[in-house]
Amino acid sequence: MLQDRFGRRVDYVRLSVTDRCDLRCSYCIPKGFKDFAEPDNWLTFDEIERVMAVFVRLGTRRVRLTGGEPLLRRGVIELAGRLAALPGLTDLSLSTNGTQLAQYAGRLKAAGVARLNVSLDSLRRDCMAEVTGRDSLPQVLAGLMAAKQAGLTPIKINMVAMNGVNADDIESMVAFCIEHQFILRLIEAMPMGDSGRSAAYLDLQPVLAGLRRRFGLQAHTATLGGGPANYWGTADGRFTLGVITPISQHFCATCNRVRLSVEGTLYLCLGQEASVPLRPLLRQGISDAGLEAVIRQAIERKPERHVFTEAPSQIVRIMAKTGG
Ligand code: SAM
């Protein structure tokens, strides 16, 4: 088992398979951004499988494929199948912007991806175009319906809620999620990079209070997916809401995860720079035992908490680089 010096068990890896994306969400990749990883520096599937096998031997039970947009990495279905086959891995999931999902949903399910998070910030076409940098809504909705049809479940909708941008769309998103039995997750914008810092922050505490009153939501006792969201639901199970509040109420004390970037850098905290580059070690021929030792030492260095509030300018990495 991997345990850090604060007694937190780390059993969850978010694995970025590319830092590239076909969207330019206003809070994520800046327009004109060019500083993407060079293909020679991308971990190969063999390297990824090797690192993840070591993590699984060290107690990792959950892996989420992410990015950038993970469905843009050529061969990602093959990689998903290889990871799903690792003995001991019990939960393989994927975060996607949904644009490629219509094409991939069935194959993802067949490869062993059990569940999906899909980013969707509005159901208004113009708002989605403004937030994502292009007219993406029809494609994303088609992807979502394909995923539902393919039997991927649960499907969670990730909505970064922003003041004056899509805050008024929360109500229609709730109705959409009830209609399709999707779990809605509202996320506070994080000050990652200039793009994240310029997002119009919305405190989700009053939003949650309003939704709790309106729908009679009760706190879920069971965790749904081992992530940072607090979940709430109606007694009849008709509507489930997750809220991710890194700013208004941080959840670092229960953080159970690390992130591996496409370049093989292990990031120990979303909101701190602490990291360990694994790629050079892999390419210098480190043994599995050596890799285990490096990962154990890295986990020792996991920061206690993020510094989004005290030092927002400190985090220069955008989310797509870390692996959201
Ligand atoms: N492309 C995939 C997707 O859209 O889910 C995976 C990567 S994306 C970086 C993962 C999640 O991070 C998305 O839900 C996105 O909205 C969120 N995200 C990106 N930048 C963020 C920021 N500054 N604050 C909060 N959430 C952010």
Side-chain angles (χ1 to χ4, degrees):
M1 271 292 164
L2 289 171
Q3 190 162 324
D4 74 4
R5 65 206 149 107
F6 304 104
R8 296 173 297 192
R9 273 191 175 179
V10 176
D11 64 359
Y12 182 8
V13 177
R14 295 181 72 112
L15 171 65
S16 174
V17 295
T18 179
D19 56 352
R20 293 168 196 242
C21 190
D22 52 340
L23 300 183
R24 288 291 176 271
C25 295
S26 53
Y27 45 77
C28 193
I29 304 180
K31 287 198 178 71
F33 182 82
K34 293 210 167 55
D35 193 21
F36 293 107
E38 291 297 328
D40 283 350
N41 292 340
W42 298 352
L43 290 193
T44 64
F45 288 175
D46 287 345
E47 288 169 332
I48 292 175
E49 189 182 6
R50 184 162 172 234
V51 176
M52 296 321 299
V54 170
F55 265 105
V56 172
R57 278 203 298 282
L58 291 171
T60 293
R61 294 293 165 259
R62 302 167 185 275
V63 172
R64 174 172 294 278
L65 296 165
T66 183
E69 172 46 44
L71 297 182
L72 294 184
R73 176 85 185 248
R74 194 171 304 143
V76 68
I77 302 290
E78 179 209 327
L79 177 67
R82 287 168 69 168
L83 297 179
L86 289 175
L89 186 73
T90 53
D91 181 29
L92 181 65
S93 57
L94 175 110
S95 286
T96 176
N97 64 27
T99 61
Q100 317 292 312
L101 207 45
Q103 174 191 348
Y104 282 118
R107 283 183 280 163
L108 282 169
K109 167 107 171 137
V113 172
R115 48 199 195 85
L116 280 189
N117 289 1
V118 181
S119 299
L120 179 63
D121 290 334
S122 176
L123 292 164
R124 285 183 296 123
R125 199 165 170 168
D126 56 345
C127 181
M128 273 292 274
E130 188 190 319
V131 172
T132 69
R134 73 170 169 86
D135 182 22
S136 55
L137 184 65
Q139 245 180 315
V140 178
L141 290 180
L144 265 171
M145 294 312 135
K148 188 177 166 186
Q149 188 85 35
L152 284 151
T153 179
I155 296 174
K156 297 178 184 166
I157 302 293
N158 279 346
M159 176 180 187
V160 178
M162 289 166 287
N163 222 347
V165 178
N166 62 351
D168 292 344
D169 299 339
I170 293 175
E171 194 165 323
S172 55
M173 197 64 84
V174 169
F176 175 76
C177 288
I178 291 174
E179 181 190 347
H180 291 286
Q181 283 300 285
F182 299 145
I183 295 174
L184 175 59
R185 301 188 340 147
L186 300 175
I187 304 175
E188 287 177 350
M190 289 173 249
M192 301 188 66
D194 289 340
S195 45
R197 273 187 288 280
S198 59
Y201 172 72
L202 178 72
D203 180 347
L204 286 178
Q205 302 300 338
V207 175
L208 172 62
L211 289 172
R212 281 185 64 189
R213 269 196 308 276
R214 171 133 177 249
F215 290 95
L217 301 179
Q218 299 296 323
H220 266 268
T221 43
T223 55
L224 291 176
N230 279 320
Y231 285 98
W232 305 82
T234 53
D236 61 4
R238 200 168 64 98
F239 175 46
T240 304
L241 172 73
V243 284
I244 302 184
T245 54
I247 310 300
S248 66
Q249 191 175 42
H250 74 80
F251 34 77
C252 303
T254 55
C255 184
N256 59 350
R257 67 201 48 207
V258 289
R259 292 174 161 83
L260 185 66
S261 78
V262 65
E263 295 179 293
T265 300
L266 191 61
Y267 288 106
L268 303 166
C269 173
L270 197 53
Q272 291 255 17
E273 292 298 335
S275 65
V276 176
L278 300 183
R279 188 185 74 251
L281 305 174
L282 291 167
R283 296 193 180 170
Q284 283 155 20
I286 192 170
S287 66
D288 278 3
L291 199 51
E292 261 188 40
V294 168
I295 291 171
R296 281 190 191 281
Q297 285 159 15
I299 300 298
E300 286 280 305
R301 292 182 41 216
K302 188 170 161 60
E304 184 172 15
R305 52 158 303 186
H306 68 63
V307 289
F308 286 145
T309 322
E310 306 87 316
S313 57
Q314 196 169 307
I315 309 306
V316 293
R317 299 185 322 264
I318 54 171
M319 184 77 97
K321 188 160 172 65
T322 314

